[in-house]
Amino acid sequence: MTVASWETVGSISMVQKPVPELAPGNVLIRVAASGICGTDLHICKGETPHASNQVTIGHEFSGYVEAIHPETVTEAKVGDLVAIDPNVPCNQCMFCRTNKYHLCPTLRCIGVTCNGGMAKYVAAPSSAVFVTQGISPEVASLAEPLSCVVHAVDTGAIKSGDRVLVIGAGPIGLMVTALCATGGARVTVAELNPMRRDKATAFGASATTDKVDIGGDPVKGFGYDVVFECVGLAATMEAALGYAKAGGTVVWVGVAKPGVTVPVSPFDVYRRELTIKSTYTNPYGMARAVRILQDGKVDWAQLISHTFALDDFDSAWAVFTQNSGLKVCIKP
C-alpha cells in the first residue's frame, strides 16, 4: 500500500509498505480521514527527538474497523467508524501506575514512533479505539487534537466569567476558543491572519485582535485571568506572560522547537503570583473529545478547510506548509 513516510530530514515521501499484520490485542483499521498536524512538520524537519525514522506519519485519524484479531477484547465491531488515540503507554511504569500515563517514558505514538494514519490501513491496540456515532469520518479525525485541547483547557482551570486570551487561531487555538466560550468565559483571540480572526468569531470569540493591549498594569488588575499560547514560538510564549493579570495563569499549549528558551523574570512571576503551566498530549481526553464532537454544539467541520486523496499528498502538504488553510485532511 502507498503511505506518506518520513524517509529523510526535510521531506515526506510516498513509498510502498505492506498492510500491517493483525496481532493479538489489535484491530485493523481502514483509514477514512487523516489530518495533517504541526507535529508532522516538526517530524519532517527532524525536530521531534522521539520520532522513528521511516515512520508512516499521521496521528490524527479515523477509520472503519476492518478486522479484529480473535484474541482481541473490544466493544468495537467490524464496520464501526472509530477515532484512534495514538498514544499507547506501557501501563507498567511509575507514571502509568499513578494516572499520568501520558508521561510514560516508553510511550508509543502511532504516527510518530510507529506507523500511522497516512496510509490505507493501520493496526492499533484495542485500547486506542473509540467508537463514534453520528459524525463524519472527517469530524471523527478531529478527536485526537480535540482531546489535547480538553487537557489544555482542564489545565487552565477556567471558570465561568473568566477573561481568557487565546494567542493563535489555528485549529488548536480555535478548539481552545470553542471550549472556553462554551464554558462561560469571555474569550479574546489574538491572530495576525484576518481569515483566522473571522473564524475565531465563528468559534465563540467575543473579540479578536491582531495586537494585544491589556490597557494597564497587570499588578493593578489589567490583563487576563487565563492566557493560552497556541503558536509555539518563543516570542508569543514570552508575550503571553505579560498578558496575564496578577494571580493569573498562563498555559503554553503550542509546541516549541527543542532548544528554544524564553526569558522569564522570577521577580515578576513572584510579584504577580503567576501560574505557568504546559500541556503534553491528551491524558484521559479521547472519550470526552468524542462526546463533544457528537454533541454538535459546535460546527467542528468548519475546521477542515481542505480535503485531498492520499495520492495528492504532495499538494496537501504544500497547502499545509503555506498556512493557506486550517485543517488539511487526507482521505486514503
Side-chain angles (χ1 to χ4, degrees):
M1 61 179 181
T2 302
V3 307
S5 180
W6 179 48
E7 299 290 306
T8 58
V9 173
S11 66
I12 303 295
S13 303
M14 304 307 293
V15 302
Q16 294 294 313
K17 292 185 181 180
V19 174
E21 296 183 3
L22 191 57
N26 280 6
V27 175
L28 184 65
I29 306 299
R30 175 168 51 87
V31 179
S34 186
I36 302 178
C37 171
T39 296
D40 297 318
L41 184 58
H42 283 299
I43 292 171
C44 176
K45 293 181 177 180
E47 297 168 354
T48 304
H50 58 287
S52 299
N53 192 30
Q54 298 184 329
V55 70
T56 302
I57 62 168
H59 59 277
E60 303 179 359
F61 65 97
S62 70
Y64 295 97
V65 176
E66 182 81 1
I68 302 171
H69 192 279
E71 299 177 28
T72 297
V73 178
T74 179
E75 294 182 351
K77 299 177 178 62
V78 171
D80 282 347
L81 176 64
V82 296
I84 304 300
D85 184 350
N87 299 304
V88 183
C90 74
N91 293 320
Q92 298 298 322
C93 70
M94 172 187 69
F95 294 109
C96 287
R97 290 174 180 266
T98 54
N99 299 320
K100 297 179 180 178
Y101 72 84
H102 60 303
L103 301 178
C104 173
T106 58
L107 188 75
R108 287 195 304 128
C109 183
I110 299 170
V112 180
T113 65
C114 56
N115 289 333
M118 291 297 171
K120 188 172 182 179
Y121 293 102
V122 176
S126 60
S127 61
V129 174
F130 291 79
V131 177
T132 72
Q133 294 180 345
I135 55 177
S136 69
E138 293 85 352
V139 170
S141 73
L142 298 173
E144 190 278 338
L146 184 58
S147 68
C148 295
V149 169
V150 166
H151 178 46
V153 173
D154 285 351
T155 299
I158 66 164
K159 303 181 295 298
S160 297
D162 275 353
R163 296 183 71 241
V164 171
L165 175 66
V166 177
I167 302 174
I172 294 296
L174 292 173
M175 287 179 168
V176 171
T177 298
L179 292 195
C180 291
T182 55
R186 187 185 191 281
V187 184
T188 297
V189 174
E191 167 63 53
L192 296 178
N193 185 308
M195 178 274 289
R196 293 188 172 191
R197 287 201 302 274
D198 290 342
K199 191 66 73 172
T201 301
F203 274 83
S206 298
T208 63
T209 183
D210 60 357
K211 185 177 182 180
V212 179
D213 181 1
I214 63 172
D217 187 347
V219 172
K220 296 180 180 179
F222 291 91
Y224 295 89
D225 298 290
V226 185
V227 179
F228 293 95
E229 194 282 343
C230 302
V231 179
L233 297 177
T236 47
M237 289 178 153
E238 179 183 359
L241 301 177
Y243 300 144
K245 72 179 184 182
T249 297
V250 175
V251 184
W252 284 339
V253 185
V255 181
K257 297 178 183 179
V260 167
T261 59
V262 174
V264 177
S265 165
F267 180 83
D268 194 32
V269 173
Y270 151 77
R271 176 62 185 86
R272 286 195 279 149
E273 198 173 69
L274 290 182
T275 299
I276 305 171
K277 297 182 176 182
S278 67
T279 65
Y280 184 64
T281 73
N282 62 343
Y284 305 102
M286 278 293 292
R288 293 166 65 190
V290 168
R291 288 198 297 270
I292 292 168
L293 293 173
Q294 292 176 162
D295 281 346
K297 293 179 181 177
V298 175
D299 181 10
W300 298 105
Q302 62 182 315
L303 278 173
I304 301 167
S305 60
H306 296 78
T307 302
F308 292 87
L310 182 58
D311 289 342
D312 296 324
F313 180 83
D314 289 345
S315 297
W317 189 253
V319 169
F320 173 75
T321 55
Q322 291 165 7
N323 286 322
S324 54
L326 287 170
K327 179 60 67 178
V328 178
C329 185
I330 303 297
K331 302 191 73 173

